[in-house]
Amino acid sequence: MKNRNKYFCFLLLFFLIVPFLSIEISKASEVSSNPDKNAYFGDLHVHTANSFDAYTFGTIISPEDAYSYALGKAITHPSGYQIQLTRPLDFFAVTDHGVFLGLAKEAADTDSKFSQYEVSEVLHNLNNPGNDGMFNIFFKRNGLFRKFARNIAIDLDRGIIDVSLVNEIKRSAWQDTIDAADNAYVPGTFTTFAGYEYTSGNAPDLSSKHRNVIFRDTNRLPAIPFSSLDSQDPEALWNWMNKLRAEGIESLAIPHNSNLSGGSMFMLTDFNGDKIDINYTQKRLANEPLVEITQVKGTSETHPLLSKNDEWANFEIEYLGGKKQGSYIRSAYLRGLSISEKGIPNPYKFGLIGSSDSHVGGGSDGEENYFSKVGLLDGTAELRGSIPFNPFYGTILKLVASGTIKKVDGNNYMAASPRLIKWSASGLAGVWAEQNTREAIYDAFRRKETFATSGPRIKVRFFAGYEIDNTKLNNPNLISELYQTAKAMGGTLIPEGEREPTFFIWAIADALGTPLQRAQIIKGWIENGEHKEKVYDVSCSDGLNVNPQTHRCPDNGARVNLNDCSNNKDLGAKELKTIWKDPEFKVNQEAFYYVRVLENPICRWSTWDAIRNDEKPRSDVPSTIQERAWSSPIWYAKK
């Protein structure tokens, strides 16, 4: 009788659950598909209260709240005001730090077991109402996450903290992250990914070799993310990912902030100082098809000292010193060509995305509504250093905290963290995919058909092939033909005899943004053992033509009125489309090419802050910027 009841219950559950599973499967299969692919925009780098640093910055936003923000709903900034995107995103991932996942929030809760450890006392009731004043910000929160992380690591090493308790907290927080992603996923409308940040670097700042790990689906995931407590060596992370892949769990890792890596992100050696070999390259290529080129903590394309003939190289750079070679993406592409010349596969054939690295549950999507990233520490224009600091607090800080105030243009500005004024309202990840589903977008990541923007939703197409000519430029079937006969961004073009390739570039301005000024191709190659690079303007706005000697568009005259941030709405282009051939092409010369698209100038976020507060913009910070987009490269392989 008991067995009969069990069998009956099983059948009942089967017939209750299967219809719902069938509905979900049919929903995914019913999503319309475009073989010519659509452009989708997202953010793959967002922190919530489960990140130990974000929580100390005052963030109490949950992963569920973050997904609501990505869908266009307002959430509350730690400083008390509402923040909201101008329009929803297409895809999104919460990527809280795998190391110490959920521990700061648990330490603050005085009813939890973890809060009873001495290391937790400094966080007790940290984000309770009333703990957001200036004294709390400057003398309790500033640098708190580093101290907390360092002390946890020490206590774990000494056996003071129960490892099983820590793992239980991490498991719970990780499951919450996965559940939030699954609950928000709507195939065809909004795609979510389970992910986390692998935070590797030199203690206590943990600032050099970070990666975001993104899983293709949530069918079967590890119980706890691999973190820097397991190993500081990124190669150990790749070994873990390879092991999971062998078990059917697919993922990829996306390095970010290479500009702050001190040359360690794109080295000529591995973590232990050994020369890069085929084994290293295979692991890196299998696990890191993409790199984040832009985010709040600066843009990592290149540096003016590396690209001296690139007038646009000095864009939103945040640089802490150390080696520049190995810190920037263009130099990494060149290093990859050098490695390839030695007969070792190129480990640096990666595509590009942007993301925000927001630590308040979501990023700002424009210069005019920038709210930075570290919550209470930079949630106002005063604290960011874009307007003069409150004279009363400024006087106190001068007395008790030397170096926190900087005089510029006769005014006192916050300088407790001089980096804040250099941070950016950036960025977004773009993909070309057949449909808005996990499978399609993840596959786009893998084939590197991705692009990055500094914030605007600029769309960029880029192809190279041997059958492209000007007669097809406005052919409505051109994209379909290109997918059949050419290589899209992220691909490698194989030589065909002595034939010269042709490149197709198509950029479409953000419908709610600023018109485009120019489209460029950046080329890199090796010549007599030396790294070479060149910037070619290939399409100009306003009917202007590229100068064949300088390879530059004339100035289109677009300017910004710094009194109100208005600009010339009648200048610039809604789209730039062209076909281009490399005037210095050599059949036997390996090279990479990628597209960079520039908008007309607009006010930088710091200028917007100043104008809104009836102040003049600081003279030591650029007043305007040119927002931009970057395609993933196309590599040309020599014969």
Side-chain angles (χ1 to χ4, degrees), residues 380-382 384 386-388 605-616:
T380 68
E382 272 187 315
R384 291 191 286 271
S386 52
I387 66 171
W605 65 263
S606 48
T607 304
W608 274 107
D609 274 358
I611 288 173
R612 287 199 180 104
N613 289 277
D614 295 321
E615 299 286 350
K616 288 185 177 181

Side-chain angles (χ1 to χ4, degrees), residues 402-444:
S402 177
T404 57
I405 299 294
K406 179 181 180 180
K407 189 171 283 292
V408 179
D409 305 323
N411 294 312
N412 290 326
Y413 289 89
M414 172 52 60
S417 180
R419 298 170 57 189
L420 297 182
I421 194 64
K422 298 178 182 178
W423 285 4
S424 305
S426 196
L428 282 178
V431 304
W432 290 101
E434 295 87 347
Q435 55 183 200
N436 191 353
T437 62
R438 282 177 177 168
E439 296 79 11
I441 290 179
Y442 189 91
D443 288 349

Side-chain angles (χ1 to χ4, degrees), residues 454-496:
S454 58
R457 301 192 188 186
I458 303 168
K459 300 176 185 177
V460 185
R461 294 271 202 186
F462 186 37
F463 290 87
Y466 300 102
E467 308 299 332
I468 309 171
D469 61 66
N470 284 309
T471 64
K472 299 179 180 179
L473 187 59
N474 295 309
N475 183 341
N477 297 317
L478 178 59
I479 298 301
S480 297
E481 291 182 16
L482 290 172
Y483 275 120
Q484 297 298 317
T485 63
K487 289 291 182 182
M489 64 177 80
T492 299
L493 188 66
I494 305 301
E496 288 190 5

